[in-house]
Amino acid sequence: MARTFRSLRRQNLSAQVVREIGLSIMRKEFQPGDALLSEPELSQQFNVSRPVLREALKVLAEKGLIESRPRTGTRVRPRTDWNLLDPEVLTWQYEVGPDPAFLEAVCEVRLMFEPMTARLAASRATAEEIETIERACGRLEELVEEAEPYIEADLAFHSAICAAAHNELLQRIVATLAAPLRASRLVTARLPGANRRTMPLHRRVAEAIRQGQELAAEEAMRELIVLTTEDVHRALGYSGTGPDLSLSTCPGQGEAPATAREGGE
Amino acid sequence: MARTFRSLRRQNLSAQVVREIGLSIMRKEFQPGDALLSEPELSQQFNVSRPVLREALKVLAEKGLIESRPRTGTRVRPRTDWNLLDPEVLTWQYEVGPDPAFLEAVCEVRLMFEPMTARLAASRATAEEIETIERACGRLEELVEEAEPYIEADLAFHSAICAAAHNELLQRIVATLAAPLRASRLVTARLPGANRRTMPLHRRVAEAIRQGQELAAEEAMRELIVLTTEDVHRALGYSGTGPDLSLSTCPGQGEAPATAREGGE
DNA sequence: ACCGTTAAATTGTATGACAATTGTGGAGGC
DNA sequence: GCCTCCACAATTGTCATACAATTTAACGGT
């Protein structure tokens, strides 16, 4: 076969193999029970050496997608074992086709931790962090009519608040959720006026944090998340109107996965 | 040299190297800026071949601990880039010495997720899942005087509730947090009577979920987490420096707005 | 002093061979 | 005929070595 997929030399060979196999797993091309050819066969199929392939399998095993044992070969693990918090797994998940149920899950999770994150931020933010938050809020207002730039600004806003909460675990969770968040934003971006509708709440959140009003910040953030959740529901509700509603705006296969660099600013 | 660490042959060589290097990074034996010998040197130091070492480095890079580039070598990344949600990273974190600040972070995150998880469980649990939860609660009562077995039963209890919430993202988060949770439990286990003190709340949570009382389940779970957080503080010798998070209100979206505002119970 | 070229060091990749592990099937015994 | 045990084969695990690609840094030319 000599699959000529070694074209984009932007990254390691093993990384390309990882992506390739990972995507095919996401596409459910293998039953969770058993599958995947042997290492020599796979290395021949991808036209890479066995050490390279083994590095790739190691990474995939690290993500919980596969499991290798002598004699048995490498088998695809059930979906419940997949590390859904892994940025790459999340990205692949959306490349093969965004799942409304998963978007719903993301909204629920946001509703769980973002309000209290805002509360902690109101309690702990330093002057500098408050400044960062307000600046992010300002950019949000400037870009209210834009589409993709607004999404980035929105992520920056929430990320700044999370940083001000001074909880490194939380920070990690938000960084990890950046990928699906971006995806959900791409869904809601086509709703006219959605950005403008949530703007007052953004302002209220920033203001409450600045004044150290914990409960107000928490409540404003909760309303904000509820609003965006409604937007997601509405966006998913009238699915099928536009031709390219499948959020093809993802960086996708042309480049290296853009989400490999998270840690939002 | 020839470090005789290849003793426990129960797992792969690369896995042992991963653990070894990972732990030394956790011990802050390297500055975040730069460090780590070259691959040939490392492979000699650990007495393994270079492919094996490379597989190990690949895994460590996957966990965000290091970054390899040609000519520059592999450098240790700053702590903000660690994948704190990785079970192994979490485990190592506690092996090198449990960090009170991190335990505090875990408690905060729990307080964010678990109440609403209980609420969702009350809303969505099937008869079978309810059965599982109640059985876990029963085991909890049996083991109330034990130490380690109780911890496992407690984890099973919360895990069962999480499964009943039908949110795979949430499930992943809770599964990931199992490691630090276990650690925090080991801290509080030395407090006499702590298990017995939280028992009524466990029962209340299970009962509320069984009867589908969403708000009651949420509130009971919140109280439960607050209680265990207090236990952690007492075990660590804290004196109430943290913010008072006990009255976090959560009037959910479409539900009955029957929650008390500020002012306690 | 500045810029381009070269060179060395490190990771990246390839090849081939051998050891360790384990599930399967077959041979032998009951 | 059925069960037990053992040997075998297939697959991953490990090793050694060589070479290519990349990138930084030094060096020399202008």
Side-chain angles (χ1 to χ4, degrees), chain A residues 12 14 54-55 58 62-63 79 82 102 105 108 112 119-120 124 167-168 172 215 218 222, chain B residues 12 14 54-55 58 62-63 79 82 102 105 108 124 167-168 170 172 244 248-249 262:
Chain A
N12 295 341
S14 59
R54 278 184 61 80
E55 288 179 13
K58 208 79 183 174
E62 197 63 21
K63 298 180 186 304
R79 186 191 161 87
W82 295 356
F102 195 72
E108 283 179 7
M112 292 190 192
R119 175 179 185 166
L120 291 180
R124 300 172 181 172
N167 182 321
E168 58 179 351
R172 195 71 219 170
L215 293 181
E218 179 178 4
R222 193 188 320 283
Chain B
N12 295 341
S14 58
R54 277 183 61 81
E55 287 180 13
K58 208 80 182 173
E62 198 62 21
K63 298 181 186 302
R79 185 190 162 88
W82 292 175
F102 196 72
E108 284 179 7
R124 300 171 180 173
N167 182 321
E168 57 179 351
L170 207 53
R172 196 70 219 170
D244 178 25
S248 178
T249 65
E262 27 218 337

Side-chain angles (χ1 to χ4, degrees), chain A residues 78-156:
Chain A
R79 186 191 161 87
T80 53
D81 291 342
W82 295 356
N83 188 358
L84 257 27
L85 297 180
D86 183 279
E88 268 188 295
V89 173
L90 242 23
T91 304
W92 299 335
Q93 185 85 16
Y94 281 100
E95 283 189 32
V96 305
D99 180 9
F102 195 72
L103 272 185
E104 176 71 29
V106 171
C107 288
E108 283 179 7
V109 170
R110 290 192 70 195
L111 194 49
M112 292 190 192
F113 74 87
E114 295 234 32
M116 188 151 151
T117 298
R119 175 179 185 166
L120 291 180
S123 160
R124 300 172 181 172
T126 66
E128 192 178 355
E129 287 160 348
I130 289 176
E131 175 63 24
T132 304
I133 293 173
E134 301 242 294
R135 205 164 41 237
C137 193
R139 268 189 63 77
L140 224 44
E141 288 172 340
E142 295 172 13
L143 299 171
V144 69
E145 298 298 348
E146 309 288 332
E148 271 98 74
Y150 181 84
I151 295 176
E152 294 308 315
D154 188 50
L155 287 176

